[in-house]
Amino acid sequence: MPEPRHPTSLDEELLEAESYAILSELTDAQRLLRIQDELRAGFARLSHIGKAVSVFGSARTPRDHPRYAAARNLARRLGEEGYAIITGGGPGIMEAANRGARDAGAPSIGLGIDLPHERSLNEYVEVGLTFHYFFTRKVMFVRYASGFVVYPGGFGTLDELFEAATLRQTQKIRYFPIVLAGSDYWSGLVDWLRSTVEADGNVGPADVRSLVVADTVEDVLETVEAVEHRRPRGQRRRAA
């Protein structure tokens, strides 16, 4: 059996703590303190941002790709409507959305994650936090957002998408729009959920309908604007 190695991240240190492959460098008491510190820091930095939208998508999308331009434009439009923009703080679609927020003068928030061989937050992040644990970071993405807009991406993007879908299905969150930007990318997934997963009885029709596919900025804005229940306290529209 090979000698155990040092963990490359605190997530690995936590999740592999009982295995022979990784050296345990912290006690459970120390781990709990670190988790508590991350949650406390997130709550303190984000508690006053007002209404916001979390935008997800591939870190591999180059700046000259049409999706980069689309995400930047959407974030700018959302910013002009008074929304802060929250992303994972990385390159690609995340950078585009933070850049669009800056174009509009809206709060541009990046919630980074400590990963091996990853660079720091993108240059368009105004309010930046770096998390060691994926699960503490996920709390911030949902708690402070009025909804998710999900551009094409890989496992990380799908993880955030289905995390939100599960929270909606189990009613841990309510009235939370999940918008999939780009029917050319997402329609196959939604069709499969409907024709296979729903048909097999593993989800209900309402679960699939909770994923809104949109191709225009106007459709995204309409979906997000319709959800008054997700406004922060004191920021709901006044009756005319």
Side-chain angles (χ1 to χ4, degrees), residues 77-118:
R77 291 285 302 278
L78 286 167
E80 291 169 349
E81 294 297 322
Y83 290 92
I85 300 298
I86 304 172
T87 79
I93 294 297
M94 294 174 281
E95 177 188 287
N98 287 129
R99 189 173 180 178
R102 295 292 291 269
D103 292 340
S108 176
I109 298 152
L111 308 180
I113 185 74
D114 179 26
L115 294 174
H117 315 301
E118 285 284 333

Side-chain angles (χ1 to χ4, degrees), residues 42-93:
F43 294 162
R45 292 291 301 277
L46 302 180
S47 61
H48 304 298
I49 64 169
K51 65 181 185 179
V53 172
S54 291
V55 180
F56 301 96
S58 177
R60 304 182 185 190
T61 304
R63 289 179 175 177
D64 59 355
H65 196 287
R67 287 176 188 151
Y68 184 101
R72 180 181 177 183
N73 180 54
L74 174 67
R76 178 183 59 79
R77 291 285 302 278
L78 286 167
E80 291 169 349
E81 294 297 322
Y83 290 92
I85 300 298
I86 304 172
T87 79
I93 294 297

Side-chain angles (χ1 to χ4, degrees), residues 217-237:
V217 172
E218 287 69 27
D219 287 342
V220 175
L221 290 171
E222 181 180 355
T223 301
V224 173
E225 280 290 318
V227 189
E228 284 295 301
H229 298 81
R230 287 295 302 184
R231 297 288 182 271
R233 288 186 176 91
Q235 293 206 10
R236 294 180 184 173
R237 298 176 191 160

